[in-house]
């Protein structure tokens, strides 16, 4: 029997496994994906949001705890557990040395294209390199790993973990367990159930694209909820980004995101604007646009820019739809030509052009138009013109298992002594809604380590109890 069973193979699971092993426990990782697809959604990440009070290795200037907390408060609208959030925020200030010990390298600041390094530390080689480093370290420490191993049931009796049951019926017992196997974002049936049917008779989830792995089906989450585990979070909330509508159904990853929204306008299939494209900077803004598109009829929208915007945003993976006139753009997008021309003309006439600066919340804004555009509002008047189709891209869902500062799973408000949770499965405790860049990896890393330590401590208590019996 292993001391600690870790269900999942992404960043949170690996942090839990490594920490439990460092705590003296024997550890088994059960990863549902084959080895070539291991790592969950973590392989598509690239950075970790970190607090720091002064310049620190790869981080420039300062990003103090209170600013981090206020950023989180802003995107969640207060739907967050402050105690757990501050544990995560403080934990990020020192965790990088531990990550380096396990082979993770960070991108130096002020180099390449990843120079925006005040709030976030970027992984050298991205999330795939991070995951590979953690797996190598796990193997060197003697952690056992089983791939293509899917857990279908977790045996819990009176809140105490006993074993897991695999999809082939095999039962694996353990002294403690960490659940870190993701949300239900790749379970289309559950997404449809959560989002339901809208007033137009559509099932919005039918048009969602999954930015990450197809293995996060939420089977373990549903299994625990069915057994009476305490839940937290809105089933419809998640990290949802507006991505290129031509992206693949799964694993499109970070490169499918479009960063030109703030440089032009976004219209729905009726060629009408529906939200302020210049509301805020991209780390706080980009994650709201997936949900905004999901609420539009047909779950489709179009970002439209002109030649002045070219070179001012990260190059997208798909080519833009190009036209010499707005009418040509409308025809290629199958939008009403007259309506799109009217929308663009009204927007152009409303622009109060000041001093354009994409690095600050500048004074270029609209007047006497709804919705307004509060920053970076420049007339769309210099051809050729460009357009990108947008769809909701789900990264992960926020319906979670309720937990505390020990990462324990709760049943009827009682903490389990040997069942713990980390990563997306508990992210809803901190992210009631919204998202800000890098916070997912912050939650996964810090609570992965907490869950691993708690699992190792539970094993020690169990052994001490038996020794004194």
């Amino acid at each position: 029997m292993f001391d600690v069973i870790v269900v999942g193979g992404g960043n949170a699971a690996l942090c839990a496994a490594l920490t439990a092993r460092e705590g003296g426990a024997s550890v088994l990782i059960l990863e549902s994906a084959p080895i070539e697809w291991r790592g969950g959604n973590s392989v598509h990440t690239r950075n970790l949001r970190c607090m720091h009070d002064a310049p620190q290795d790869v981080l420039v200037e300062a990003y103090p705890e209170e600013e981090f907390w206020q950023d989180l408060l802003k995107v969640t609208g207060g739907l967050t557990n402050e105690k757990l959030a501050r544990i995560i925020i403080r934990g990020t200030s020192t965790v990088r040395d531990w990550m380096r010990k396990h082979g993770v390298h960070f991108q130096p600041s002020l180099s390449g294209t990843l120079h925006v390094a005040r709030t976030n530390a970027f992984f050298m080689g991205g999330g795939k390199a991070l995951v590979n480093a953690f797996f190598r370290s796990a193997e060197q420490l003697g952690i056992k790993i089983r791939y293509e191993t899917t857990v279908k049931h977790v045996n819990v009796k009176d809140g105490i973990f006993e074993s897991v049951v695999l999809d082939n019926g095999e039962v694996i017992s353990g002294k403690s367990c960490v659940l870190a196997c993701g949300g239900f974002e790749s379970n289309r049936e559950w997404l449809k159930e959560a989002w339901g049917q809208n007033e137009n008779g559509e099932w919005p989830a039918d048009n969602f694209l999954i930015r990450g792995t197809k293995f996060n089906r939420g089977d373990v989450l549903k299994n625990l909820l069915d057994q009476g585990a305490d839940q937290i979070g809105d089933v419809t909330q998640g990290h949802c980004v507006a991505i290129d509508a031509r992206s693949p159904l799964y694993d499109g990853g970070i490169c499918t995101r479009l960063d030109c929204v703030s440089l032009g306008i976004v219209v729905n299939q009726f060629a009408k604007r529906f939200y302020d494209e210049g509301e805020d900077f991209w780390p706080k803004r980009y994650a709201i646009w997936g949900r905004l598109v999901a609420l539009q009829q047909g779950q489709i929208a179009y970002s439209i820019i002109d030649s002045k915007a070219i070179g001012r945003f990260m190059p997208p993976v798909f080519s833009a739809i190009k036209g010499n006139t707005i009418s040509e753009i409308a025809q290629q997008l199958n939008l009403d030509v007259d309506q799109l021309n009217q929308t663009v003309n009204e927007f152009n006439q409303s622009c109060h052009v000041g001093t354009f600066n994409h690095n600050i919340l500048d004074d270029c804004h609209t007047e006497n138009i709804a919705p307004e555009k509060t920053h970076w509002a420049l007339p769309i008047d210099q051809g050729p013109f460009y357009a990108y189709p947008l769809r909701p891209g789900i990264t992960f869902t926020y319906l979670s298992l309720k937990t505390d500062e020990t990462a324990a799973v709760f049943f009827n408000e009682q903490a389990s002594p040997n069942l713990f949770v980390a990563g997306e499965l508990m992210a809803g405790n901190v992210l009631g809604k919204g998202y800000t860049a890098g916070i997912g990896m912050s939650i996964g890393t810090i609570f992965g380590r907490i869950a691993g330590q708690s699992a190792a401590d539970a094993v020690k208590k169990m052994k001490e109890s038996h020794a004194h019996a």
Side-chain angles (χ1 to χ4, degrees):
M1 178 188 293
F2 284 89
D3 290 335
V4 178
I5 295 173
V6 176
V7 182
N11 173 61
L14 291 162
C15 288
L18 290 167
T19 304
R21 186 73 187 107
E22 290 174 333
S26 61
V27 180
L28 170 67
I29 292 175
L30 302 177
E31 161 67 299
S32 61
I35 190 169
E36 61 270 23
W37 286 102
R38 69 183 183 182
N41 288 342
S42 303
V43 300
H44 294 300
T45 64
R46 60 174 185 162
N47 59 75
L48 176 82
R49 182 166 285 256
C50 299
M51 69 155 278
H52 54 108
D53 292 324
Q56 206 179 74
D57 56 281
V58 296
L59 298 167
V60 301
E61 303 177 22
Y63 186 51
E65 176 181 339
E66 197 57 28
E67 185 179 353
F68 193 149
W69 164 243
Q70 290 298 327
D71 284 345
L72 181 62
L73 205 56
K74 184 175 181 181
V75 297
T76 61
L79 296 175
T80 182
N81 181 318
E82 182 171 356
K83 183 177 182 180
L84 300 187
R86 287 192 183 274
I87 287 172
I88 292 164
I89 292 170
R90 292 165 188 159
T92 61
S93 66
T94 56
V95 76
R96 292 192 308 285
D97 284 343
W98 179 84
M99 296 169 73
R100 288 189 180 94
K101 189 176 78 172
H102 291 290
V104 177
H105 298 280
F106 290 91
Q107 176 82 21
S109 62
L110 303 173
S111 66
T113 59
L114 302 179
H115 63 279
V116 185
R118 188 176 77 85
T119 60
N120 292 52
F122 288 78
F123 314 130
M124 184 80 79
K128 185 73 172 177
L130 173 139
V131 164
N132 286 341
F134 278 160
F135 270 111
R136 281 194 298 272
S137 190
E139 290 165 354
Q140 290 166 2
L141 291 173
I143 294 173
K144 301 299 181 186
I145 304 164
R146 286 180 58 173
Y147 297 100
E148 299 183 71
T149 305
T150 301
V151 171
K152 284 295 184 183
H153 181 72
V154 181
N155 280 319
V156 182
K157 186 176 181 181
D158 298 328
I160 299 174
F161 167 77
E162 294 182 342
S163 61
V164 295
V165 183
L166 308 184
D167 57 354
N168 63 5
E170 181 183 357
V171 178
I172 303 176
S173 299
K175 294 172 184 169
S176 69
C177 180
V178 175
L179 306 174
C181 47
F184 66 91
E185 59 272 8
S186 53
N187 185 329
R188 181 77 67 185
E189 295 76 20
W190 198 349
L191 287 175
K192 286 183 68 172
E193 179 185 333
W195 278 79
Q197 204 168 12
N198 65 20
E199 65 275 14
N200 302 309
E202 301 170 323
W203 296 87
D206 280 342
N207 286 317
F208 291 177
L209 300 173
I210 316 303
R211 300 177 77 208
T213 174
K214 65 180 179 181
F215 299 97
N216 285 2
R217 294 187 48 78
D219 292 338
V220 168
L221 173 60
K222 184 175 280 295
N223 181 256
L224 265 291
L225 295 179
D226 288 345
Q227 294 188 64
D230 296 346
Q231 72 176 55
I232 193 167
D234 179 347
V235 72
T236 68
Q237 291 291 344
H239 180 10
C240 186
V241 180
I243 64 174
D244 196 302
R246 298 163 291 184
S247 304
L249 178 57
Y250 295 107
D251 284 303
I254 205 163
C255 65
T256 61
R257 194 183 76 206
L258 285 165
D259 287 336
C260 57
V261 163
S262 61
L263 293 165
I265 61 171
V266 177
V267 300
N268 57 22
Q269 66 173 349
F270 305 108
K272 294 183 178 179
R273 294 175 60 236
F274 53 91
Y275 198 79
D276 178 2
E277 301 90 345
E279 184 180 48
D280 210 335
F281 294 110
W282 74 265
K284 302 168 192 171
R285 180 195 68 239
Y286 78 97
I288 70 169
W289 275 90
R291 194 172 186 82
L292 291 170
V293 175
L295 295 173
Q296 297 303 305
Q297 192 166 328
Q299 297 75 54
I300 186 82
Y302 305 92
S303 175
I304 296 173
I305 58 175
D306 70 0
S307 291
K308 297 193 297 296
I310 299 301
R312 287 176 167 168
F313 59 97
M314 187 182 297
V317 69
F318 296 101
S319 298
I321 294 162
K322 183 178 177 182
N324 290 319
T325 64
I326 291 298
S327 295
E328 283 186 24
I329 289 288
Q331 288 166 350
Q332 292 186 72
L333 299 178
N334 201 28
L335 296 177
D336 186 288
V337 174
D338 292 339
Q339 181 60 61
L340 186 60
N341 274 298
Q342 181 180 334
T343 297
V344 172
N345 288 336
E346 289 176 352
F347 172 78
N348 289 348
Q349 291 168 13
S350 75
C351 288
H352 176 87
V353 179
T355 304
F356 178 87
N357 187 340
H358 211 209
N359 295 315
I360 62 171
L361 297 174
D362 72 6
D363 58 354
C364 296
H365 61 276
T366 59
E367 294 177 342
N368 303 317
I369 193 172
E372 62 181 340
K373 184 175 181 182
T374 47
H375 305 286
W376 313 303
L378 296 178
I380 301 172
D381 58 2
Q382 184 176 317
F385 302 93
Y386 302 88
Y388 295 92
L390 303 171
R391 287 281 189 201
I394 299 287
T395 308
F396 64 93
T397 50
Y398 290 174
L399 180 68
S400 297
L401 300 176
K402 187 178 179 181
T403 191
D404 65 0
E405 65 272 21
T406 70
V409 175
F410 275 67
F411 296 86
N412 296 320
E413 300 295 329
Q414 297 295 315
S416 171
N418 67 343
L419 183 61
F420 305 94
V421 63
E424 294 176 8
L425 267 178
M426 57 71 61
N429 289 271
V430 179
L431 293 170
K433 67 173 185 177
Y435 192 79
T436 188
I439 186 70
M441 290 300 280
S442 302
I443 295 170
T445 302
I446 303 306
F447 257 81
R449 295 202 65 204
I450 292 172
Q453 187 60 58
S454 293
D457 291 345
V459 172
K460 286 179 184 175
K461 289 179 183 175
M462 193 178 301
K463 290 178 179 177
E464 290 170 0
S465 175
H466 289 163
H468 292 107

